[in-house]
Amino acid sequence: MFSVGVIGLGMGKGHAKGVQRIADKIEGFTKPELYALCDIDAEKLRAVGEELQVSRLYTDYRDMIADPELDAVIIASPDQDHRRMAEEALAKGKHVLCEKPLALTREDLKAIVEAARCSDKTFMVGQICRFTPGFYMAKELIEEGAIGELTYVESEYAHDYTKIYEAGTWRSDPKRNGLVGGGCHAVDLLRWIAGDPDEVMAYGTHKTFRDVTPYDDTHIAILRFPNGVIGKVFCSISCRRPYTMRSVFYGTKGTIITDNTSPSMQLFTLDEATGKLNEKVIPIDINSHNAAGEFEAFYEAVQGLRPLETPAIEGANTIAVCHAIVESADTGRPVAPNYFV
């Protein structure tokens, strides 16, 4: 068996269910097993344990990772805890799948990257947009040449945090800038599609949450990508609308419009013979947090069945771009991301 423990049962509950869904598909000696759960909330821990039929329950992650029978951990704890949990899990010889953002500060990012490099265990960052059906299909279409040569890309992270801040959860920590903690979804998606931007120019505004957060609640950033591609990231944690990550990809021969909450995407293509613009509506699954697909990629990477797509440095460089956006908005100047190498 490939035994897996989950730390943090907020987002982690979805990860735990994802492990079980993949386990149901696999037979053999290395079949994954949801082996243990950990959360500081003992009542939540008990309830989720009963629901998922897991008996090894821990309120201290150190006790869980000390178990020699545990092969891997999924870190779905608050962002502020990622560094120490990742370092300690690797030191105990565990494979690690860590939720995004990898960390909030450059110091913590560097420490995790170095710990992963020095370990012989697999370390993967959970950049979930890379497993979202609409975004995955968009990347495939672009790589197939369906819209010609890529010219412009954009993505948004629109998520009203009002209730989150009212509840005083970990997301309301003053250290957790909304662009870094949430907007990293949109940044990572565009990096995955278009490559690493070499310059960003950004603006921010701080109207809705001026008495709640010490940082801007809305950002817009223009990014310069390789091969002459330009792009835009919009992030608002104070918008008054349902959650969405609407994204658009323009090419020389067509356009893709998609998101993570709709049952279809639009594909516009130019018929070069007639000059007619054709529209195709493509059905897609709504699975904005495809934890099962993410875990499957992690499991297969550990087993040597596929390359590791999001190692620690990928998660770190996504946050490097986020930091550049925040710096540009704060200073009013263009900023080159300080990538990890």
Side-chain angles (χ1 to χ4, degrees), residues 3 14 72 84 107 110 168-169 182 199 240 277 282 314 327:
S3 56
R84 61 184 170 85
E107 178 185 3
K110 182 179 180 180
T169 69
E199 185 176 272
R240 302 303 185 229
L277 187 65
I282 304 174
E314 273 293 290
E327 181 182 344

Side-chain angles (χ1 to χ4, degrees), residues 182-228:
C184 64
H185 276 306
V187 169
D188 188 74
L189 175 61
L190 296 192
R191 284 189 61 238
W192 185 47
I193 298 284
D196 287 336
D198 58 30
E199 185 176 272
V200 306
M201 183 67 207
Y203 297 93
T205 186
H206 193 191
K207 290 188 174 182
T208 308
F209 287 162
R210 61 165 59 102
D211 297 324
V212 179
T213 68
Y215 46 77
D216 290 337
D217 51 55
T218 300
H219 287 89
I220 186 167
I222 305 301
L223 306 94
R224 186 174 66 196
F225 291 94
N227 303 313

Side-chain angles (χ1 to χ4, degrees), residues 86-235:
E87 288 180 317
E88 290 178 33
L90 288 170
K92 290 291 186 180
K94 313 305 180 186
H95 301 285
V96 177
L97 169 57
C98 183
E99 256 288 357
K100 67 86 222 155
L102 180 60
L104 301 178
T105 69
R106 187 167 184 85
E107 178 185 3
D108 287 353
L109 292 168
K110 182 179 180 180
I112 295 173
V113 168
E114 288 305 310
R117 280 178 174 163
C118 293
S119 173
D120 63 352
K121 299 302 178 182
T122 298
F123 189 101
M124 176 175 161
V125 185
Q127 303 290 170
I128 198 67
C129 288
R130 303 190 187 205
F131 302 93
T132 300
F135 300 147
Y136 189 87
M137 185 180 294
K139 183 174 172 66
E140 286 188 327
L141 289 168
I142 291 166
E143 291 180 344
E144 291 168 3
I147 61 171
E149 186 180 353
L150 202 60
T151 61
Y152 171 82
V153 294
E154 69 174 54
S155 185
E156 64 183 45
Y157 177 82
H159 192 176
D160 186 354
Y161 277 19
T162 300
K163 292 183 179 179
I164 291 171
Y165 286 141
E166 287 175 352
T169 69
W170 56 270
R171 285 189 176 94
S172 63
D173 186 325
K175 300 175 187 174
R176 190 184 188 269
N177 189 298
L179 189 283
V180 175
C184 64
H185 276 306
V187 169
D188 188 74
L189 175 61
L190 296 192
R191 284 189 61 238
W192 185 47
I193 298 284
D196 287 336
D198 58 30
E199 185 176 272
V200 306
M201 183 67 207
Y203 297 93
T205 186
H206 193 191
K207 290 188 174 182
T208 308
F209 287 162
R210 61 165 59 102
D211 297 324
V212 179
T213 68
Y215 46 77
D216 290 337
D217 51 55
T218 300
H219 287 89
I220 186 167
I222 305 301
L223 306 94
R224 186 174 66 196
F225 291 94
N227 303 313
V229 178
I230 56 175
K232 180 184 77 174
V233 165
F234 169 76
C235 173

Side-chain angles (χ1 to χ4, degrees), residues 132-139 249 256 258-260 265 284-285:
T132 300
F135 300 147
Y136 189 87
M137 185 180 294
K139 183 174 172 66
F249 307 98
I256 297 168
T258 189
D259 62 43
N260 59 342
M265 69 159 56
I284 53 176
D285 292 332

